[in-house]
Amino acid sequence: MSPGEKVSTKPRVVALGDPKYVGADFLEEFRKDFDFEVLDATNRQQTKEMLPALVAERPVDAFIIRMGTPPYEPFDEDLLKDLLPGCKIITSASAGFNEFDVDWMTSQNVWFCNTINAVAEATADMAMFLVLAVLRDTTRGERQARDGTWKANIVPARDPTNLTLGIVGAGAIGKHLARKAAAFNMKTVYHNRRRLPRDEEERHGLSTYYATLNELLAASDVVSISCPLNKQTENLISTAQFAAMKDGGFLVNTARGPVVDEDALIDALESGKVTRAGLDVFANEPRINDYFRTSDKVVLQPHMGGLTDLAFQKSERECFENIRSLFKTGRPVAPVNEVKQEPAAMP
């Protein structure tokens, strides 16, 4: 800064990489109240090298982390400590947040926000696509269309009409999925930590609530996983849960890979307990178990659930809106954690 140059009193907001989908008009409006800039680091090591110098110029009040997080993970003290003590909020454009050390952020009085609704409908679209794909045996169909064997040994597939879709996790994604399944004449039931109010069940077409997971599994022809990954849900679907499912059922996972015990899933597929599985997420992604890569019993996508242009725009805007809300009202729109510190109102 040159001598006599006035120091800005606007909160400084930095994004890890360029938010390309948020929109120029949106950013222009945001910049009326905030100083916004981009930290152009493409991986964890670059971030660790560049962040200290950035903060030394002037403290960062808010930090935005866009989608595409694997090159930077995990988001922990080792990576983010240089933001302290000035940073008041970290926002993520992703819905899941198992790669973020939220406990550490809370201990440092830093708010953390994920995105609640941005990728929900796009992910539900992917789940519905996978439901139809496993029912219609599309992996084998596509492979035979490509290799010239043309429907060799393919028998009539399952029709979704009158089948029961069991949704594990009735958050935003699960609710969107229930409404979409109705268009294919499926009955939707759900298991959740808490039962939804009756009006919500009716609005989203969720016909039956099962208080236990095993009850839902026993009642469902197709099971779709849309719950978050945490200590309670890791390996939520394992050997005992597959045993509780209907014989010859179908499984779809668009949540997080470790929610499903992959070895137990392979056993269930090989035994015929599960006819086919549709997977958008994997335990060790981007590495995928060779069985899934080669088996006709599995429909694969490379964690594409939230990857649409509209979902990206919504997710980036949610990050900015959480920051705007914190500095205008003292609280983000949708925080994951609770902190004691409340920043002063914007000048």
Side-chain angles (χ1 to χ4, degrees), residues 31-223:
R31 281 192 165 105
K32 291 178 181 178
D33 297 316
F34 298 87
D35 289 331
F36 173 72
E37 58 197 279
V38 171
L39 180 65
D40 195 18
T42 60
N43 56 53
R44 183 181 182 87
Q45 187 57 39
Q46 287 182 4
T47 305
K48 291 178 68 173
E49 293 170 357
M50 297 169 68
L51 199 54
L54 180 81
V55 175
E57 296 173 358
R58 180 188 165 198
V60 173
D61 297 287
F63 197 61
I64 296 172
I65 297 166
R66 302 174 308 114
M67 286 191 189
T69 59
Y72 308 92
E73 295 175 10
F75 292 93
D76 55 6
E77 180 179 5
D78 179 57
L79 181 67
L80 302 173
K81 62 181 183 297
D82 291 297
L83 289 170
L84 301 176
C87 188
K88 301 172 181 64
I89 181 171
I90 295 172
T91 64
S92 166
S94 299
F97 52 89
N98 53 291
E99 62 269 34
F100 292 85
D101 190 344
V102 181
D103 290 340
W104 172 76
M105 295 180 201
T106 305
S107 73
Q108 301 302 313
N109 290 327
V110 176
W111 294 93
F112 174 73
C113 302
N114 65 334
T115 55
I116 302 298
N117 296 311
V119 302
E121 186 157 16
T123 304
D125 288 343
M126 175 61 75
M128 195 67 235
F129 161 76
L130 290 173
V131 168
L132 296 174
V134 296
L135 291 175
R136 297 298 297 268
D137 197 6
T138 60
T139 292
R140 205 150 56 108
E142 180 171 354
R143 185 169 295 167
Q144 294 184 2
R146 290 179 182 276
D147 68 18
T149 53
W150 193 255
K151 292 192 288 188
N153 301 316
I154 290 182
V155 299
R158 296 293 301 275
D159 196 298
T161 296
N162 297 327
L163 295 185
T164 297
L165 172 63
I167 298 173
V168 180
I173 296 169
K175 292 171 185 173
H176 280 300
L177 176 59
R179 292 197 303 273
K180 294 173 188 298
F184 294 91
N185 305 310
M186 300 186 81
K187 174 186 177 183
T188 55
V189 300
Y190 76 103
H191 168 69
N192 205 44
R193 287 179 299 170
R194 292 179 293 274
R195 182 170 186 170
L196 299 175
R198 290 294 177 87
D199 62 327
E200 283 194 52
E201 290 180 337
E202 292 176 2
R203 186 163 67 251
H204 300 291
L206 293 161
S207 63
T208 304
Y209 171 70
Y210 287 100
T212 71
L213 176 59
N214 279 7
E215 287 179 308
L216 173 110
L217 297 173
S220 303
D221 299 294
V222 185
V223 175

Side-chain angles (χ1 to χ4, degrees), residues 257-303:
V259 174
V260 175
D261 179 341
E262 291 188 345
D263 289 336
L265 172 57
I266 292 170
D267 289 342
L269 288 164
E270 284 298 286
S271 70
K273 182 68 178 183
V274 173
T275 299
R276 278 181 291 278
L279 306 175
D280 186 43
V281 290
F282 306 89
N284 298 303
E285 57 186 60
R287 290 182 290 113
I288 300 176
N289 187 298
D290 283 342
Y291 177 90
F292 298 143
R293 292 176 54 250
T294 57
S295 174
D296 285 338
K297 298 176 182 180
V298 187
V299 181
L300 304 180
Q301 288 289 291
H303 204 150

